[in-house]
Amino acid sequence: AQSVTQPDIHITVSEGASLELRCNYSYGATPYLFWYVQSPGQGLQLLLKYFSGDTLVQGIKGFEAEFKRSQSSFNLRKPSVHWSDAAEYFCAVGAGYGQNFVFGPGTRLSVLP
Amino acid sequence: SQTIHQWPATLVQPVGSPLSLECTVEGTSNPNLYWYRQAAGRGLQLLFYSVGIGQISSEVPQNLSASRPQDRQFILSSKKLLLSDSGFYLCAWNLRGMPGRNEQFFGPGTRLTVL
């Protein structure tokens, strides 16, 4: 079965600074990887996804993520953070079979003015 | 386009009372449907998923149950709520086929407080 870890529970960055949120997964085959964002009191919104091909994936809101098979990682990045990016971020991995995604525990992002 | 609705948006219920949360999806057919719960400051816990009408799989033993009376309707119920049932309940759907490959789309959630 697949699993996901997000080592950082809470990250604080200044507005305009760069951001990297870490995600590590465990899965025996090629994973399907996703990043979601959740604003307080809201549902989850898909930022980007990786299935195959180019390992650098572009998403919405200026986010990108890079799949590194050798490190079993799928880190999310943004070159310049905006105050509106403050939210909870979830990494998820899906298998090619089975009904479930597995979500990581989430990383809460705070943005300082 | 597809949309997913959940209601109510917020709910305050006494311990021991029943519960019914509803989720409906529009703009697609034969979706997989999911119920998740988020306790305060916690991640997502998958409660139930369904691949078709009347087909429910439970991931966590608890006093909750789910039903799918129609293709695009998913209901979460309880006969007697516990304090520990408080949380944020999210419904999600994705396409059939290879569900691990298809991204899940989430509803706006229901905030449940059990007093």
Side-chain angles (χ1 to χ4, degrees), chain A residues 32 34 36 38 40-46 49 51-52 88 90 93-101 103-106, chain B residues 32 34 36 38 41-44 46 49 51 59 88 90 94 97-109 111:
Chain A
Y32 301 105
F34 308 83
Y36 286 84
Q38 184 183 32
Q42 304 294 318
L44 276 70
Q45 181 183 22
L46 181 70
K49 59 187 178 185
F51 292 161
S52 63
E88 189 92 19
F90 293 93
V93 59
Y97 54 90
Q99 299 299 330
N100 305 334
F101 277 27
F103 284 87
Chain B
N32 296 311
Y34 305 83
Y36 291 88
Q38 274 184 302
R42 305 284 296 275
L44 290 154
L46 179 64
Y49 66 88
V51 299
E59 291 295 303
F88 191 54
L90 289 160
N94 68 357
M98 293 178 70
R101 184 183 189 277
N102 299 323
E103 61 265 37
Q104 294 187 6
F105 298 94
F106 285 81
R111 172 74 59 192

Side-chain angles (χ1 to χ4, degrees), chain B residues 16-108:
Chain B
S17 64
L19 173 73
S20 180
L21 303 182
E22 189 165 344
C23 170
T24 58
V25 180
E26 297 176 354
T28 189
S29 297
N30 305 314
N32 296 311
L33 294 171
Y34 305 83
W35 277 113
Y36 291 88
R37 177 170 62 197
Q38 274 184 302
R42 305 284 296 275
L44 290 154
Q45 179 187 33
L46 179 64
L47 301 176
F48 302 94
Y49 66 88
S50 171
V51 299
I53 295 174
Q55 301 179 63
I56 309 295
S57 296
S58 174
E59 291 295 303
V60 182
Q62 61 223 326
N63 69 317
L64 299 172
S65 62
S67 62
R68 186 170 176 173
Q70 300 180 43
D71 180 48
R72 292 170 291 174
Q73 183 185 31
F74 205 22
I75 297 172
L76 183 69
S77 303
S78 174
K79 293 181 179 179
K80 288 186 177 181
L81 283 169
L82 306 173
L83 285 174
S84 58
D85 291 324
S86 293
F88 191 54
Y89 289 81
L90 289 160
C91 182
W93 73 274
N94 68 357
L95 294 172
R96 293 279 184 87
M98 293 178 70
R101 184 183 189 277
N102 299 323
E103 61 265 37
Q104 294 187 6
F105 298 94
F106 285 81

